[in-house]
Coordinates of all heavy atoms in Angstrom, one line a residue:
M173 N 0.9 -1.2 0.0 CA 0.0 0.0 0.0 C 0.9 1.3 0.0 O 1.8 1.3 0.8 CB -0.9 0.0 1.3 CG -2.0 0.9 1.2 SD -3.1 0.8 2.6 CE -4.1 -0.7 2.1
P174 N 0.7 2.2 -0.9 CA 1.5 3.4 -1.0 C 1.3 4.3 0.2 O 0.2 4.3 0.8 CB 1.1 4.1 -2.3 CG -0.3 3.6 -2.5 CD -0.4 2.2 -1.9
T175 N 2.3 5.0 0.5 CA 2.2 6.0 1.6 C 1.8 7.4 1.0 O 2.4 7.8 0.0 CB 3.5 6.2 2.4 OG1 3.9 4.9 2.9 CG2 3.3 7.2 3.5
W176 N 0.7 8.0 1.4 CA 0.3 9.2 0.9 C 0.7 10.4 1.8 O 0.4 10.3 3.0 CB -1.3 9.2 0.7 CG -1.7 8.1 -0.1 CD1 -2.0 6.9 0.3 CD2 -1.9 8.1 -1.5 NE1 -2.4 6.1 -0.8 CE2 -2.4 6.8 -1.9 CE3 -1.8 9.1 -2.5 CZ2 -2.6 6.5 -3.2 CZ3 -2.1 8.7 -3.8 CH2 -2.5 7.4 -4.2
V177 N 1.4 11.3 1.3 CA 1.9 12.4 2.1 C 1.5 13.7 1.4 O 1.6 13.9 0.2 CB 3.4 12.4 2.2 CG1 3.9 13.5 3.1 CG2 3.9 11.0 2.7
I178 N 1.0 14.7 2.2 CA 0.6 16.0 1.7 C 1.9 16.9 1.7 O 2.5 17.1 2.8 CB -0.5 16.6 2.5 CG1 -1.7 15.7 2.7 CG2 -0.9 17.9 1.9 CD1 -2.4 15.3 1.4
R179 N 2.3 17.4 0.6 CA 3.4 18.3 0.5 C 3.0 19.5 -0.2 O 2.0 19.5 -1.0 CB 4.6 17.6 -0.2 CG 5.1 16.4 0.4 CD 6.5 16.6 1.0 NE 7.0 15.4 1.7 CZ 7.7 14.4 1.1 NH1 7.9 14.5 -0.2 NH2 8.1 13.4 1.8
S180 N 3.7 20.6 0.0 CA 3.3 21.8 -0.7 C 3.6 21.8 -2.2 O 2.9 22.4 -3.0 CB 4.0 23.0 0.0 OG 5.4 22.8 0.0
V181 N 4.7 21.1 -2.5 CA 5.1 21.1 -3.9 C 5.1 19.6 -4.4 O 6.0 18.9 -4.0 CB 6.4 21.7 -4.2 CG1 6.8 21.6 -5.7 CG2 6.4 23.1 -3.8
S182 N 4.1 19.1 -5.0 CA 4.1 17.8 -5.6 C 2.9 17.6 -6.5 O 2.2 18.6 -6.8 CB 4.1 16.7 -4.5 OG 3.1 16.9 -3.6
I183 N 2.6 16.4 -6.9 CA 1.5 16.2 -7.9 C 0.2 16.3 -7.3 O -0.1 15.6 -6.3 CB 1.7 14.8 -8.5 CG1 3.2 14.6 -9.0 CG2 0.7 14.6 -9.6 CD1 3.5 13.1 -9.0
P184 N -0.7 17.1 -7.8 CA -2.1 17.1 -7.3 C -2.8 15.8 -7.4 O -2.7 15.1 -8.4 CB -2.8 18.2 -8.1 CG -1.7 18.9 -8.9 CD -0.6 17.9 -9.0
L185 N -3.6 15.5 -6.4 CA -4.4 14.3 -6.5 C -5.6 14.5 -7.4 O -6.2 15.6 -7.4 CB -5.0 14.0 -5.1 CG -4.2 13.1 -4.1 CD1 -5.0 13.0 -2.8 CD2 -4.0 11.7 -4.7
S186 N -5.9 13.6 -8.3 CA -7.1 13.7 -9.1 C -8.3 13.4 -8.2 O -8.2 12.9 -7.1 CB -7.0 12.7 -10.2 OG -7.2 11.4 -9.7
E187 N -9.4 13.8 -8.7 CA -10.7 13.5 -8.0 C -10.9 12.0 -7.7 O -11.3 11.6 -6.6 CB -11.9 14.1 -8.7 CG -11.8 15.6 -8.7 CD -13.0 16.2 -9.5 OE1 -14.0 15.5 -9.8 OE2 -13.0 17.4 -9.7
D188 N -10.5 11.2 -8.7 CA -10.6 9.8 -8.5 C -9.7 9.2 -7.4 O -10.1 8.4 -6.6 CB -10.3 9.0 -9.8 CG -11.5 9.0 -10.8 OD1 -12.6 9.4 -10.3 OD2 -11.4 8.5 -11.9
Q189 N -8.5 9.8 -7.4 CA -7.6 9.3 -6.4 C -8.0 9.7 -5.0 O -7.9 8.9 -4.1 CB -6.2 9.9 -6.7 CG -5.5 9.2 -7.9 CD -4.2 10.0 -8.3 OE1 -4.2 11.2 -8.3 NE2 -3.3 9.3 -8.8
L190 N -8.5 10.9 -4.9 CA -8.9 11.4 -3.6 C -10.1 10.6 -3.1 O -10.2 10.2 -2.0 CB -9.3 12.9 -3.7 CG -9.8 13.5 -2.4 CD1 -8.8 13.4 -1.3 CD2 -10.1 15.0 -2.7
K191 N -11.0 10.3 -4.1 CA -12.2 9.4 -3.7 C -11.8 8.1 -3.2 O -12.3 7.6 -2.2 CB -13.1 9.3 -5.0 CG -14.4 8.7 -4.7 CD -15.2 8.7 -6.0 CE -16.5 7.8 -5.8 NZ -17.2 7.6 -7.0
G192 N -10.8 7.5 -3.9 CA -10.3 6.2 -3.5 C -9.7 6.2 -2.1 O -9.9 5.3 -1.3
L193 N -9.0 7.3 -1.9 CA -8.4 7.5 -0.5 C -9.4 7.6 0.6 O -9.4 6.9 1.6 CB -7.5 8.7 -0.5 CG -6.1 8.7 -0.9 CD1 -5.5 10.0 -0.9 CD2 -5.3 7.7 -0.1
L194 N -10.4 8.4 0.3 CA -11.4 8.7 1.3 C -12.2 7.4 1.6 O -12.6 7.1 2.8 CB -12.4 9.8 0.9 CG -11.8 11.2 0.8 CD1 -12.8 12.2 0.3 CD2 -11.3 11.6 2.2
K195 N -12.4 6.6 0.6 CA -13.2 5.3 0.8 C -12.5 4.4 1.8 O -13.2 3.5 2.4 CB -13.5 4.7 -0.5 CG -14.6 5.4 -1.3 CD -14.7 4.9 -2.7 CE -15.8 3.9 -2.9 NZ -16.1 3.6 -4.3
R196 N -11.2 4.5 1.9 CA -10.5 3.7 2.8 C -10.8 4.0 4.2 O -10.5 3.2 5.1 CB -9.0 3.9 2.6 CG -8.4 3.2 1.4 CD -6.9 3.1 1.6 NE -6.3 3.2 0.3 CZ -5.0 3.7 0.2 NH1 -4.4 4.0 1.2 NH2 -4.5 3.7 -1.0
Y197 N -11.3 5.2 4.5 CA -11.6 5.6 5.8 C -13.0 5.3 6.3 O -13.5 5.8 7.3 CB -11.3 7.1 6.0 CG -9.8 7.4 5.9 CD1 -9.2 7.7 4.7 CD2 -9.1 7.3 7.1 CE1 -7.8 7.9 4.7 CE2 -7.7 7.5 7.1 CZ -7.1 7.8 5.8 OH -5.7 8.0 5.8
D198 N -13.7 4.4 5.5 CA -15.0 3.9 5.9 C -14.7 2.8 7.0 O -14.7 1.6 6.8 CB -15.7 3.3 4.7 CG -17.0 2.7 5.1 OD1 -17.5 3.0 6.2 OD2 -17.6 1.9 4.3
A199 N -14.5 3.3 8.3 CA -14.0 2.5 9.3 C -15.0 1.3 9.7 O -14.5 0.2 10.0 CB -13.8 3.3 10.6
N200 N -16.3 1.5 9.6 CA -17.2 0.4 10.0 C -17.7 -0.3 8.8 O -18.5 -1.2 8.9 CB -18.4 1.0 10.8 CG -19.2 2.0 10.0 OD1 -18.9 2.3 8.9 ND2 -20.2 2.5 10.7
G201 N -17.2 0.0 7.6 CA -17.5 -0.8 6.4 C -18.9 -0.8 5.9 O -19.4 -1.7 5.2
D202 N -19.7 0.3 6.2 CA -21.1 0.4 5.8 C -21.3 1.0 4.5 O -22.4 1.2 4.0 CB -21.9 1.1 6.9 CG -21.6 2.5 7.0 OD1 -20.6 3.0 6.4 OD2 -22.3 3.2 7.8
G203 N -20.2 1.4 3.8 CA -20.3 1.9 2.5 C -20.6 3.4 2.5 O -20.7 4.0 1.4
Q204 N -20.6 4.0 3.6 CA -20.9 5.5 3.7 C -19.8 6.1 4.7 O -19.3 5.4 5.5 CB -22.2 5.7 4.3 CG -23.4 5.0 3.6 CD -24.7 5.4 4.3 OE1 -25.5 6.1 3.7 NE2 -24.9 4.8 5.5
L205 N -19.5 7.3 4.5 CA -18.6 8.0 5.4 C -19.4 8.9 6.4 O -20.2 9.7 6.0 CB -17.7 8.9 4.6 CG -16.5 8.2 3.9 CD1 -15.7 9.3 3.1 CD2 -15.6 7.5 4.8
S206 N -19.3 8.6 7.7 CA -19.9 9.4 8.7 C -19.0 10.7 8.8 O -17.9 10.7 8.4 CB -20.0 8.7 10.0 OG -18.7 8.5 10.5
R207 N -19.6 11.6 9.6 CA -18.8 12.9 9.8 C -17.5 12.6 10.5 O -16.4 13.1 10.2 CB -19.7 13.8 10.7 CG -19.2 15.2 10.6 CD -20.2 16.1 11.4 NE -21.5 16.2 10.7 CZ -21.9 17.4 10.1 NH1 -21.1 18.4 10.2 NH2 -23.0 17.5 9.5
K208 N -17.6 11.6 11.5 CA -16.4 11.2 12.2 C -15.4 10.6 11.3 O -14.2 10.9 11.4 CB -16.9 10.3 13.3 CG -15.8 10.1 14.4 CD -16.4 9.1 15.5 CE -15.3 8.4 16.2 NZ -15.7 7.2 16.9
E209 N -15.8 9.7 10.4 CA -14.9 9.0 9.5 C -14.2 10.0 8.6 O -13.0 9.9 8.3 CB -15.6 7.9 8.7 CG -16.0 6.7 9.6 CD -17.0 5.8 8.9 OE1 -17.6 6.2 7.9 OE2 -17.1 4.7 9.4
L210 N -15.0 11.0 8.1 CA -14.4 12.0 7.2 C -13.4 12.9 8.0 O -12.3 13.2 7.4 CB -15.6 12.9 6.7 CG -15.1 13.9 5.6 CD1 -14.7 13.1 4.3 CD2 -16.2 14.8 5.2
K211 N -13.7 13.3 9.2 CA -12.7 14.1 10.0 C -11.4 13.3 10.1 O -10.4 13.9 10.0 CB -13.3 14.4 11.4 CG -14.1 15.6 11.4 CD -14.6 15.9 12.8 CE -15.8 16.9 12.8 NZ -16.5 17.0 14.1
Q212 N -11.6 12.0 10.5 CA -10.4 11.2 10.6 C -9.6 11.1 9.3 O -8.4 11.2 9.3 CB -10.8 9.8 11.1 CG -9.6 8.9 11.5 CD -8.9 9.5 12.7 OE1 -9.5 9.9 13.7 NE2 -7.6 9.6 12.6
A213 N -10.3 11.0 8.2 CA -9.6 10.9 6.9 C -8.9 12.2 6.6 O -7.7 12.1 6.3 CB -10.7 10.7 5.8
F214 N -9.5 13.3 6.8 CA -8.8 14.6 6.5 C -7.6 14.8 7.5 O -6.6 15.3 7.0 CB -9.8 15.8 6.7 CG -10.8 15.9 5.5 CD1 -11.8 16.8 5.6 CD2 -10.6 15.2 4.4 CE1 -12.7 17.0 4.5 CE2 -11.5 15.3 3.3 CZ -12.5 16.2 3.4
H215 N -7.8 14.4 8.7 CA -6.8 14.5 9.7 C -5.6 13.7 9.2 O -4.4 14.1 9.2 CB -7.2 14.1 11.0 CG -6.2 14.2 12.1 ND1 -5.8 15.4 12.6 CD2 -5.5 13.2 12.7 CE1 -4.8 15.2 13.5 NE2 -4.6 13.9 13.6
N216 N -5.8 12.4 8.9 CA -4.7 11.5 8.5 C -4.1 11.9 7.2 O -2.9 11.6 6.9 CB -5.3 10.1 8.3 CG -5.6 9.4 9.6 OD1 -5.5 10.1 10.7 ND2 -5.8 8.1 9.6
L217 N -4.8 12.6 6.3 CA -4.3 13.1 5.1 C -3.4 14.4 5.3 O -2.9 15.0 4.3 CB -5.4 13.4 4.0 CG -6.0 12.1 3.5 CD1 -7.3 12.5 2.7 CD2 -5.1 11.3 2.7
G218 N -3.4 14.9 6.5 CA -2.5 16.0 6.9 C -3.2 17.3 6.6 O -2.5 18.4 6.6
L219 N -4.5 17.4 6.5 CA -5.2 18.6 6.2 C -5.3 19.4 7.5 O -5.6 18.9 8.5 CB -6.6 18.3 5.7 CG -7.3 19.4 4.9 CD1 -6.6 19.7 3.7 CD2 -8.7 18.8 4.6
K220 N -5.0 20.7 7.4 CA -5.1 21.6 8.5 C -6.6 21.9 8.7 O -7.4 21.9 7.8 CB -4.4 22.9 8.3 CG -2.9 22.7 8.5 CD -2.1 24.0 8.3 CE -0.6 23.7 8.4 NZ 0.2 24.8 7.8
H221 N -7.0 22.2 10.0 CA -8.4 22.5 10.3 C -9.3 21.4 9.8 O -10.3 21.6 9.2 CB -8.8 23.8 9.7 CG -7.8 24.9 9.9 ND1 -7.5 25.4 11.2 CD2 -7.1 25.6 9.0 CE1 -6.6 26.3 11.0 NE2 -6.3 26.5 9.7
S222 N -8.9 20.1 10.0 CA -9.6 19.0 9.4 C -11.0 18.9 9.9 O -11.9 18.6 9.1 CB -8.8 17.7 9.7 OG -8.6 17.5 11.1
G223 N -11.3 19.2 11.2 CA -12.6 19.1 11.7 C -13.5 20.2 11.0 O -14.6 19.8 10.6
W224 N -13.0 21.4 10.9 CA -13.8 22.5 10.3 C -14.1 22.1 8.8 O -15.2 22.3 8.3 CB -13.0 23.8 10.4 CG -13.7 24.9 9.8 CD1 -14.7 25.7 10.3 CD2 -13.3 25.5 8.5 NE1 -15.0 26.7 9.4 CE2 -14.2 26.6 8.3 CE3 -12.4 25.2 7.5 CZ2 -14.2 27.4 7.2 CZ3 -12.4 26.0 6.4 CH2 -13.2 27.1 6.2
R225 N -13.0 21.7 8.1 CA -13.2 21.3 6.7 C -14.1 20.2 6.5 O -14.9 20.2 5.5 CB -11.8 21.1 6.1 CG -11.0 22.3 5.9 CD -9.7 22.0 5.1 NE -8.8 23.1 5.1 CZ -8.8 24.0 4.1 NH1 -9.6 23.9 3.1 NH2 -7.9 25.0 4.2
A226 N -14.1 19.2 7.4 CA -15.0 18.1 7.3 C -16.4 18.6 7.4 O -17.3 18.1 6.6 CB -14.7 17.0 8.4
N227 N -16.6 19.5 8.3 CA -18.0 20.1 8.4 C -18.4 20.8 7.2 O -19.6 20.7 6.7 CB -18.1 21.0 9.6 CG -18.1 20.2 10.9 OD1 -18.5 19.1 11.0 ND2 -17.6 20.9 12.0
R228 N -17.5 21.6 6.6 CA -17.8 22.3 5.4 C -18.1 21.4 4.3 O -19.1 21.6 3.5 CB -16.6 23.2 5.0 CG -16.4 24.4 5.9 CD -17.5 25.4 5.8 NE -17.6 25.9 4.4 CZ -17.0 27.0 4.0 NH1 -16.3 27.8 4.8 NH2 -17.2 27.4 2.8
A229 N -17.3 20.4 4.1 CA -17.5 19.4 3.0 C -18.8 18.7 3.2 O -19.5 18.4 2.3 CB -16.3 18.4 3.0
F230 N -19.1 18.4 4.5 CA -20.4 17.7 4.7 C -21.6 18.5 4.4 O -22.5 18.1 3.7 CB -20.5 17.4 6.2 CG -20.6 15.9 6.5 CD1 -19.5 15.1 6.7 CD2 -21.9 15.3 6.5 CE1 -19.6 13.7 6.8 CE2 -22.0 14.0 6.7 CZ -20.9 13.2 6.9
Q231 N -21.5 19.8 4.7 CA -22.6 20.7 4.4 C -22.8 20.8 2.9 O -23.9 20.9 2.4 CB -22.4 22.1 4.9 CG -22.7 22.3 6.4 CD -22.2 23.6 7.0 OE1 -21.9 24.5 6.2 NE2 -22.2 23.7 8.3
H232 N -21.7 20.7 2.2 CA -21.8 20.9 0.7 C -22.3 19.6 0.1 O -23.0 19.6 -0.9 CB -20.4 21.2 0.2 CG -20.3 21.4 -1.3 ND1 -20.7 22.6 -1.8 CD2 -20.0 20.6 -2.3 CE1 -20.5 22.5 -3.1 NE2 -20.1 21.3 -3.4
A233 N -21.8 18.4 0.6 CA -22.0 17.2 -0.1 C -23.2 16.3 0.4 O -23.7 15.5 -0.4 CB -20.7 16.4 -0.1
D234 N -23.6 16.5 1.6 CA -24.6 15.6 2.2 C -26.0 16.1 1.7 O -26.7 16.8 2.4 CB -24.5 15.6 3.7 CG -25.5 14.6 4.3 OD1 -26.1 13.8 3.5 OD2 -25.7 14.6 5.5
A235 N -26.3 15.7 0.5 CA -27.5 16.2 -0.2 C -28.8 16.0 0.6 O -29.7 16.8 0.7 CB -27.6 15.7 -1.6
N236 N -28.9 14.8 1.2 CA -30.2 14.5 1.9 C -30.1 14.7 3.4 O -31.1 14.4 4.1 CB -30.6 13.0 1.6 CG -29.6 12.0 2.1 OD1 -28.6 12.4 2.6 ND2 -29.9 10.7 1.9
G237 N -29.0 15.2 3.8 CA -28.8 15.6 5.2 C -29.0 14.5 6.3 O -29.3 14.8 7.4
D238 N -28.6 13.3 5.9 CA -28.8 12.2 6.9 C -27.5 12.0 7.7 O -27.5 11.1 8.5 CB -29.2 10.9 6.2 CG -28.1 10.4 5.2 OD1 -27.1 11.1 5.0 OD2 -28.2 9.3 4.7
G239 N -26.5 12.8 7.5 CA -25.3 12.7 8.3 C -24.3 11.7 7.8 O -23.3 11.4 8.4
F240 N -24.5 11.1 6.6 CA -23.6 10.2 6.0 C -23.4 10.5 4.5 O -24.3 11.0 3.8 CB -24.2 8.7 6.1 CG -24.3 8.2 7.5 CD1 -25.5 8.4 8.2 CD2 -23.2 7.7 8.1 CE1 -25.6 7.9 9.5 CE2 -23.3 7.2 9.4 CZ -24.5 7.4 10.1
I241 N -22.2 10.3 4.1 CA -21.8 10.5 2.7 C -21.8 9.2 1.9 O -21.0 8.3 2.2 CB -20.4 11.1 2.6 CG1 -20.4 12.5 3.3 CG2 -20.0 11.3 1.1 CD1 -21.3 13.5 2.7
T242 N -22.8 9.0 1.0 CA -22.9 7.8 0.2 C -22.0 8.0 -1.0 O -21.4 9.0 -1.3 CB -24.3 7.6 -0.3 OG1 -24.7 8.8 -1.0 CG2 -25.3 7.4 0.9
E243 N -22.0 6.9 -1.8 CA -21.1 6.9 -3.1 C -21.4 8.2 -3.9 O -20.5 8.9 -4.4 CB -21.5 5.6 -3.8 CG -20.7 5.5 -5.2 CD -19.3 5.0 -5.0 OE1 -19.1 4.2 -4.0 OE2 -18.5 5.3 -5.9
D244 N -22.7 8.4 -4.2 CA -23.1 9.6 -5.0 C -22.7 10.9 -4.4 O -22.1 11.8 -5.1 CB -24.6 9.6 -5.2 CG -25.0 8.6 -6.3 OD1 -24.2 8.0 -7.0 OD2 -26.3 8.4 -6.4
E245 N -22.9 11.0 -3.1 CA -22.6 12.2 -2.4 C -21.0 12.4 -2.3 O -20.5 13.5 -2.3 CB -23.2 12.2 -1.0 CG -24.7 12.4 -1.1 CD -25.4 12.1 0.2 OE1 -24.8 11.5 1.1 OE2 -26.6 12.5 0.4
L246 N -20.3 11.3 -2.3 CA -18.9 11.4 -2.3 C -18.3 12.0 -3.5 O -17.3 12.7 -3.5 CB -18.3 9.9 -2.1 CG -16.8 9.8 -1.8 CD1 -16.4 10.6 -0.6 CD2 -16.4 8.4 -1.7
N247 N -19.0 11.8 -4.7 CA -18.5 12.5 -5.9 C -18.6 14.0 -5.7 O -17.7 14.7 -6.1 CB -19.4 12.1 -7.1 CG -19.2 10.7 -7.5 OD1 -18.1 10.1 -7.3 ND2 -20.3 10.0 -8.0
Q248 N -19.6 14.5 -5.1 CA -19.8 15.9 -4.8 C -18.7 16.4 -3.8 O -18.1 17.5 -4.0 CB -21.2 16.2 -4.3 CG -22.3 16.1 -5.3 CD -22.1 17.0 -6.5 OE1 -21.8 18.2 -6.3 NE2 -22.2 16.4 -7.6
L249 N -18.5 15.6 -2.8 CA -17.6 15.9 -1.8 C -16.1 16.1 -2.4 O -15.4 17.0 -2.1 CB -17.6 14.9 -0.7 CG -16.8 15.3 0.6 CD1 -17.5 14.6 1.8 CD2 -15.4 14.8 0.6
V250 N -15.8 15.1 -3.2 CA -14.5 15.1 -3.8 C -14.3 16.3 -4.7 O -13.2 16.9 -4.7 CB -14.3 13.7 -4.6 CG1 -13.1 13.8 -5.5 CG2 -14.0 12.6 -3.6
K251 N -15.3 16.6 -5.5 CA -15.2 17.8 -6.4 C -14.9 19.0 -5.6 O -14.2 19.9 -6.0 CB -16.6 17.9 -7.1 CG -16.5 18.3 -8.5 CD -17.8 18.2 -9.2 CE -17.9 17.0 -10.1 NZ -19.1 16.8 -10.8
Y252 N -15.6 19.1 -4.4 CA -15.4 20.3 -3.5 C -14.0 20.3 -2.9 O -13.3 21.3 -2.9 CB -16.5 20.2 -2.5 CG -16.5 21.3 -1.5 CD1 -16.9 22.6 -1.8 CD2 -16.2 21.1 -0.2 CE1 -17.0 23.6 -0.9 CE2 -16.2 22.1 0.8 CZ -16.6 23.4 0.4 OH -16.7 24.3 1.3
A253 N -13.7 19.1 -2.3 CA -12.4 19.0 -1.5 C -11.2 19.0 -2.4 O -10.1 19.3 -1.9 CB -12.5 17.8 -0.6
S254 N -11.3 18.6 -3.6 CA -10.1 18.5 -4.5 C -9.5 19.9 -4.7 O -8.3 20.0 -5.1 CB -10.4 17.9 -5.8 OG -11.3 18.7 -6.6
K255 N -10.3 21.0 -4.5 CA -9.7 22.3 -4.6 C -8.8 22.7 -3.5 O -8.1 23.8 -3.5 CB -10.9 23.4 -4.7 CG -11.8 23.2 -5.8 CD -12.9 24.3 -5.9 CE -13.9 24.0 -6.9 NZ -15.2 23.5 -6.4
W256 N -8.7 21.9 -2.5 CA -7.9 22.2 -1.3 C -6.5 21.8 -1.5 O -5.6 22.0 -0.6 CB -8.4 21.6 0.0 CG -9.8 22.1 0.4 CD1 -10.3 23.3 0.0 CD2 -10.8 21.4 1.2 NE1 -11.6 23.4 0.5 CE2 -11.9 22.3 1.3 CE3 -10.8 20.2 1.8 CZ2 -13.0 22.0 2.0 CZ3 -11.9 19.9 2.6 CH2 -13.0 20.8 2.6
G257 N -6.2 21.2 -2.6 CA -4.8 20.9 -3.0 C -4.2 19.7 -2.3 O -3.0 19.7 -1.8
F258 N -4.9 18.6 -2.2 CA -4.3 17.4 -1.8 C -3.3 16.9 -2.9 O -3.6 17.1 -4.1 CB -5.4 16.2 -1.7 CG -6.4 16.4 -0.6 CD1 -7.6 16.9 -0.9 CD2 -6.0 16.1 0.7 CE1 -8.5 17.1 0.2 CE2 -7.0 16.2 1.7 CZ -8.2 16.7 1.5
T259 N -2.2 16.4 -2.4 CA -1.2 16.1 -3.4 C -0.5 14.7 -3.0 O -0.6 14.3 -1.9 CB 0.0 17.1 -3.4 OG1 0.4 17.3 -2.1 CG2 -0.5 18.4 -4.0
I260 N 0.1 14.1 -4.0 CA 0.9 12.9 -3.8 C 2.3 13.3 -3.7 O 2.8 14.1 -4.5 CB 0.7 11.9 -4.9 CG1 -0.8 11.7 -5.2 CG2 1.4 10.6 -4.6 CD1 -1.0 11.0 -6.6
S261 N 3.1 12.8 -2.8 CA 4.5 13.1 -2.7 C 5.2 12.4 -3.8 O 4.8 11.3 -4.3 CB 5.1 12.7 -1.4 OG 5.0 11.3 -1.2
Ligands
LIG478 CA1 -18.9 4.2 7.5
LIG479 CA1 -26.3 11.7 2.8

């Protein structure tokens, strides 16, 4: 498994790559990302203000407001979060 490191100068993650990464943080394996799982993901990816950003991303992407990000909603989330400059070292 590759090690993903956030650096200021490196290759930007594509939306597909970011999506694949986030799906690994589905800790309970229910196929959805809870707010807690998303916060943990952003934190592990080295994002600053990970809790705040997770909340922002949630507000943007959780279309039905049930507190979980499904596969479809994850596409929206990734589109939004990819602007934050996740990169591969
Ligand atoms: Ca989950
Ligand atoms: Ca939802």
Side-chain angles (χ1 to χ4, degrees):
M173 196 174 281
T175 303
W176 304 88
V177 182
I178 308 295
R179 299 249 176 91
S180 54
V181 180
S182 53
I183 310 157
L185 273 179
S186 72
E187 290 180 10
D188 276 353
Q189 287 169 324
L190 182 56
K191 190 177 167 187
L193 272 179
L194 290 177
K195 284 170 100 168
R196 286 200 213 152
Y197 289 92
D198 179 16
N200 62 359
D202 65 353
Q204 309 181 108
L205 285 176
S206 67
R207 198 175 288 252
K208 195 178 154 200
E209 288 166 345
L210 188 67
K211 272 182 198 172
Q212 189 61 47
F214 283 172
H215 180 74
N216 285 11
L217 290 170
L219 199 62
K220 283 179 184 165
H221 315 294
S222 54
W224 178 80
R225 286 186 190 267
N227 286 334
R228 288 293 299 267
F230 239 90
Q231 279 171 16
H232 183 82
D234 185 13
N236 62 359
D238 66 353
F240 293 94
I241 299 297
T242 57
E243 177 83 26
D244 282 351
E245 291 169 344
L246 189 58
N247 291 330
Q248 289 303 311
L249 192 149
V250 162
K251 218 170 260 182
Y252 181 72
S254 64
K255 297 184 188 106
W256 295 338
F258 291 101
T259 53
I260 310 167
S261 64

